[in-house]
Amino acid sequence: MRSLLVHLKNYKKESVFAPLFKMLEALFELFVPLVMAAVIDVGIAQNDRPYIMRMCFVLVALGLIGLVCSITAQYFAAKAAAGFGTGVRHALFEHIQKLTFSEMDAIGPSTLITRMTSDINQVQSGVNLVLRLFLRSPFIVFGAMIMAFTVDAKAALIFVVTIPILSVIVFGIMLITMPLYKKVQSDLDRVLLMTRENLTGVRVIRAFNKEKDELDRFEEGNQALTDAQKFVGRISGLMNPLTYAVVNGAIIVLIYAGAVRVNVGDLTQGEVVALLNYMSQILVELVKLANLIITVTKAIACGNRIGAVLQIRPDMESGSLRWEDAGQTNEENVPVVEFDHVSLRYKGAGADSLSDISFRAERGQTIGVIGGTGSGKSSLVSLIPRFYDVAAGEVKICGRDIREYDTEALRAHIGMVMQKAVLFKGTIAENIRWGKEDATDAEIGEALEISQAKEFVDAKEGGMDFPVEQGGRNLSGGQKQRLTIARALVRKPEILILDDSASALDFATDAELRKAIRGMKEKPTVFIVSQRASSVQYADQIIVLDDGEMAGIGTHRELLERCPAYQEIYYSQFQKEASANE
């Protein structure tokens, strides 16, 4: 939590003025009981109406000044808290963008969503309340005790006994509830994860008639969250009745002692009323302090969770080599991409996902990657933009180890189309410009034409300005895939990776797409990952993967002759008689 306070540095003035004005408000509030005592002992006792009127004006003035101070303090506190929350959100989002795929997989999307939303909101509320009340409440409590001593030292001893007892209650409950609130937030993570899984997988759930099972699972998780919240709520709920009981007990003692001393003439009636007012002020402020501590406890737990994410250091360090400085791109005999005995093991996995992969991809070549489900096709191409680091061996781009490159500069020259087509809310043109921020309409049109998307885009109302809903809900699967391909093509990449990104296209459109990519004047090195043999059979090289190992590499004809794994895939999709005529 402490590491997050750096985001208040731009709000130093607000962070000072907010508690300062609150303490000014408290100071004026402490004078009210003395004015009331004067009204009773002087004005009412002597039937002095002008004096009573003057004191009433003083009370009104104290109230108005306190109100102005309170509003001013609230303004500064709100400004500082909102700015702090914004700073933390930006820092957390920026940090998440730097995390590797391995770390993202380990943390989980649901956890990150909770940190970005619920946790930051709790911390922001905590900062707001701390700036307004953290100094004000103790100032009122101890100020009231000091003012009580100015009224009567003997009666003020009741305050000396009461305040430590209240402090033990308040801070004891805080120490007990702090770890419990952390557990509540963890349970919230699990409920959010289940919600996300159910929303993203709703079609699969319905297809397999698992609605009741998922409802039961959600209810179980939600009940665990409810039980945890109720348990910590019961403990936190003890704070108000316990503090009320102690303070009211102190008020009873104070009234009794005051009555006895008024009777013998040691105290005036106004002084007893002043003491009672100070005790009431202490009660009100301790209730506020109790609620503040509950909020601060939650905020600290949430802040520690945010800090835990921010403390995760990416295990993948970016190099300093720029693409232009590599100086190898146009040299002969230097492949654009080279895998040299590469192995990959995911974090926490018990075995390698890829083992001893070696191949070379020259400029302008098309490399097909094919294999059964789970054979490691996506894992292989994910190493080229350095989404993961190799466990052994080297991945080289233009003759240099990929770890030498500046990651951002490297990925700027690689067009990657993931398996799942992801579009964002906005127009078609805005989605395409994710690939190149300053792309012109002509460049977007060219990318749409190559990706075979121009025909359906032109048919849409508004063309490139057609609004795309979140996730591309208003587009078909094939349309979404073609737009994601266009997004990768608009940057004119040196390396283009199509990770099973044409699975929703018909065979004719798929063939036209591959033909258009081969005809690009930039001549990119293309990696095509596919389950379809027809999508890779015309590639310059085909890599066949089987359980993370290279089962074969070569052209379509070479693999048909000598690679059993490729033969099995190919003949499962085409009849032997038809393929024999090729």
Side-chain angles (χ1 to χ4, degrees), residues 218-280:
F218 179 79
E219 285 177 6
E220 183 182 338
N222 207 30
Q223 189 60 47
L225 174 61
T226 303
D227 292 342
Q229 286 180 321
K230 285 167 69 176
F231 179 68
V232 70
R234 287 191 192 102
I235 297 174
S236 298
L238 290 172
M239 193 172 293
N240 281 359
L242 287 176
T243 51
Y244 269 104
V246 172
V247 171
N248 282 306
I251 288 174
I252 292 169
V253 174
L254 187 62
I255 291 173
Y256 175 78
V260 171
R261 297 188 63 201
V262 167
N263 193 43
V264 297
D266 286 349
L267 277 177
T268 65
Q269 292 174 339
E271 287 173 338
V272 173
V273 170
L275 290 170
L276 287 173
N277 280 337
Y278 283 128
M279 187 63 77
S280 298

Side-chain angles (χ1 to χ4, degrees), residues 534-582:
S534 61
S535 296
V536 300
Q537 66 178 343
Y538 298 109
D540 299 297
Q541 286 187 88
I542 302 171
I543 300 169
V544 185
L545 294 178
D546 184 20
D547 197 21
E549 297 181 353
M550 189 181 288
I553 184 170
T555 64
H556 168 67
R557 289 192 176 277
E558 291 170 350
L559 292 171
L560 272 182
E561 291 173 3
R562 55 181 172 78
C563 181
Y566 186 75
Q567 291 168 3
E568 182 181 352
I569 295 169
Y570 187 77
Y571 291 137
S572 69
Q573 299 174 18
F574 298 94
Q575 294 181 355
K576 280 193 176 185
E577 293 80 5
S579 59
N581 296 326
E582 292 186 358

Side-chain angles (χ1 to χ4, degrees), residues 91-100 104 112 116 309:
L92 183 58
F93 188 81
E94 185 180 351
H95 183 73
I96 289 170
Q97 297 303 310
K98 293 177 183 176
L99 297 177
T100 65
M104 296 277 280
L112 294 176
M116 285 289 297
V309 175

Side-chain angles (χ1 to χ4, degrees), residues 249-405:
I251 288 174
I252 292 169
V253 174
L254 187 62
I255 291 173
Y256 175 78
V260 171
R261 297 188 63 201
V262 167
N263 193 43
V264 297
D266 286 349
L267 277 177
T268 65
Q269 292 174 339
E271 287 173 338
V272 173
V273 170
L275 290 170
L276 287 173
N277 280 337
Y278 283 128
M279 187 63 77
S280 298
Q281 283 184 352
I282 289 173
L283 172 61
V284 171
E285 290 306 319
L286 281 171
V287 170
K288 288 182 183 177
L289 187 62
N291 293 326
L292 168 66
I293 287 171
I294 292 170
T295 304
V296 169
T297 301
K298 291 180 183 178
I300 291 172
C302 293
N304 290 337
R305 284 153 51 86
I306 296 167
V309 175
L310 290 171
Q311 285 171 6
I312 297 173
R313 298 268 71 87
D315 57 10
M316 187 185 293
E317 293 185 7
S318 177
S320 58
L321 182 66
R322 310 291 296 181
W323 184 279
E324 297 78 9
D325 299 336
Q328 300 282 358
T329 309
N330 296 319
E331 288 190 13
E332 294 183 5
N333 302 321
V334 176
V336 174
V337 178
E338 181 180 2
F339 276 52
D340 184 12
H341 300 286
V342 167
S343 296
L344 169 67
R345 177 175 294 191
Y346 290 110
K347 187 178 287 187
D352 289 345
S353 298
L354 294 173
S355 302
D356 198 28
I357 306 293
S358 296
F359 68 88
R360 293 159 63 98
E362 308 294 340
R363 170 169 291 278
Q365 276 193 334
T366 297
I367 310 297
V369 183
I370 196 169
T373 303
S375 58
K377 304 185 296 298
S378 296
S379 298
L380 186 144
V381 294
S382 292
L383 294 173
I384 298 171
R386 205 185 172 198
F387 291 152
Y388 298 95
D389 264 342
V390 297
E394 283 183 326
V395 177
K396 295 180 181 179
I397 303 288
C398 301
R400 304 290 289 271
D401 191 321
I402 198 171
R403 287 168 287 200
E404 296 179 31
Y405 283 90

Side-chain angles (χ1 to χ4, degrees), residues 50-269:
Y51 184 83
I52 294 172
M53 293 298 295
R54 287 198 302 274
M55 290 298 104
C56 286
F57 281 120
V58 171
L59 287 174
V60 171
L62 289 173
L64 288 174
I65 295 170
L67 177 64
V68 171
C69 291
S70 178
I71 292 171
T72 306
Q74 179 61 66
Y75 168 76
F76 285 123
K79 186 176 178 182
F84 168 81
T86 302
V88 173
R89 280 189 187 90
H90 285 170
L92 183 58
F93 188 81
E94 185 180 351
H95 183 73
I96 289 170
Q97 297 303 310
K98 293 177 183 176
L99 297 177
T100 65
F101 277 29
S102 297
E103 284 140 4
M104 296 277 280
D105 295 341
I107 299 169
S110 62
T111 299
L112 294 176
I113 291 169
T114 308
R115 302 293 189 274
M116 285 289 297
T117 53
S118 173
D119 285 351
I120 290 180
N121 288 338
Q122 289 279 10
V123 174
Q124 184 174 318
S125 298
V127 169
N128 191 342
L129 285 175
V130 164
L131 290 176
R132 289 193 293 119
L133 299 177
F134 191 69
L135 291 179
R136 182 191 190 279
S137 293
F139 182 80
I140 287 277
V141 170
F142 290 103
M145 184 175 70
I146 292 168
M147 295 299 283
F149 271 101
T150 64
V151 174
D152 184 74
K154 289 183 179 179
L157 292 175
I158 299 170
F159 289 74
V160 176
V161 175
T162 304
I163 289 173
I165 295 172
L166 291 170
S167 300
V168 169
I169 293 170
V170 169
F171 288 103
I173 290 176
M174 183 187 75
L175 292 173
I176 294 169
T177 54
M178 193 178 295
L180 294 175
Y181 278 119
K182 192 172 183 180
K183 182 180 181 300
V184 166
Q185 290 299 116
S186 299
D187 290 339
L188 180 62
D189 277 352
R190 283 193 286 274
V191 172
L192 185 62
L193 174 62
M194 283 188 282
T195 306
R196 184 175 179 274
E197 286 175 343
N198 278 280
L199 288 173
T200 54
V202 63
R203 297 187 182 189
V204 178
I205 293 167
R206 288 177 181 173
F208 286 90
N209 195 26
K210 289 288 184 181
E211 291 97 327
K212 188 177 184 306
D213 292 343
E214 288 303 314
L215 275 171
D216 292 341
R217 191 165 75 97
F218 179 79
E219 285 177 6
E220 183 182 338
N222 207 30
Q223 189 60 47
L225 174 61
T226 303
D227 292 342
Q229 286 180 321
K230 285 167 69 176
F231 179 68
V232 70
R234 287 191 192 102
I235 297 174
S236 298
L238 290 172
M239 193 172 293
N240 281 359
L242 287 176
T243 51
Y244 269 104
V246 172
V247 171
N248 282 306
I251 288 174
I252 292 169
V253 174
L254 187 62
I255 291 173
Y256 175 78
V260 171
R261 297 188 63 201
V262 167
N263 193 43
V264 297
D266 286 349
L267 277 177
T268 65
Q269 292 174 339

